[in-house]
Amino acid sequence: MEFAEIDNNNVLVANRYDECTRAETFKLKSDFTFREKNVRFGVSEVIGSYRISNDTIHFENVKRGKQEDILWEFGVIEELEVYTENKYALKLFKNKKDTVGFYYFIGRNDLNIKPTIKPNR
């Protein structure tokens, strides 16, 4: 199987980069699996499955990578108030008490989920 064929199975691809040259990628696959890949002092990956309920993506059967200490329970697609390249973000939450969340900027989205719109403050 060609690498391009594997990449075509992605229904959502989101990325995040920081000033410490840490690169993170989050991919949802058409077979209802996901991969979160982090590159910092080596490569680490979290894998599992997901299900969609209304506008929420729930993560299940999660297997942690060597360097990972945070596991996401669920996520939503959110329209960003201010954006340049990316209008939407995948906002991940540790649990229902998490009010801050963690953003990945969406580059590809083939899911049929209506984004939540962040209210103006």
Side-chain angles (χ1 to χ4, degrees):
M1 184 179 298
E2 296 286 325
F3 183 74
E5 290 176 23
I6 295 170
D7 209 38
N8 285 336
N9 293 328
N10 297 326
V11 293
L12 184 137
V13 178
N15 297 290
R16 181 178 176 99
Y17 303 95
D18 68 19
E19 57 278 346
C20 298
T21 64
R22 182 170 94 182
E24 302 176 52
T25 303
F26 202 99
K27 294 181 180 181
L28 298 180
K29 304 284 188 177
S30 60
D31 65 357
F32 295 95
T33 60
F34 76 89
R35 291 192 175 304
E36 180 183 31
K37 188 175 189 176
N38 296 313
V39 179
R40 79 185 104 125
F41 310 118
V43 178
S44 184
E45 202 168 48
V46 175
I47 60 173
S49 59
Y50 72 91
R51 66 181 170 79
I52 297 173
S53 176
N54 298 321
D55 66 347
T56 305
I57 304 164
H58 300 274
F59 304 108
E60 303 168 333
N61 306 312
V62 179
K63 294 184 180 130
R64 184 187 317 234
K66 293 177 186 175
Q67 301 174 19
E68 301 311 310
D69 57 352
I70 297 175
L71 296 178
W72 310 114
E73 187 176 303
F74 64 95
V76 296
I77 295 173
E78 188 174 275
E79 185 173 347
L80 299 170
E81 288 181 64
V82 178
Y83 59 89
T84 54
E85 293 177 28
N86 306 90
K87 185 175 181 177
Y88 301 102
L90 175 63
K91 188 173 183 182
L92 303 172
F93 298 91
K94 296 181 223 176
N95 54 46
K96 291 179 182 176
K97 293 180 182 178
D98 182 358
T99 59
V100 177
F102 184 82
Y103 286 96
Y104 276 98
F105 301 100
I106 296 175
R108 175 181 180 176
N109 181 7
D110 297 333
L111 294 173
N112 191 20
I113 298 176
K114 187 173 181 175
T116 59
I117 299 172
K118 199 173 192 179
N120 292 331
R121 296 177 196 195

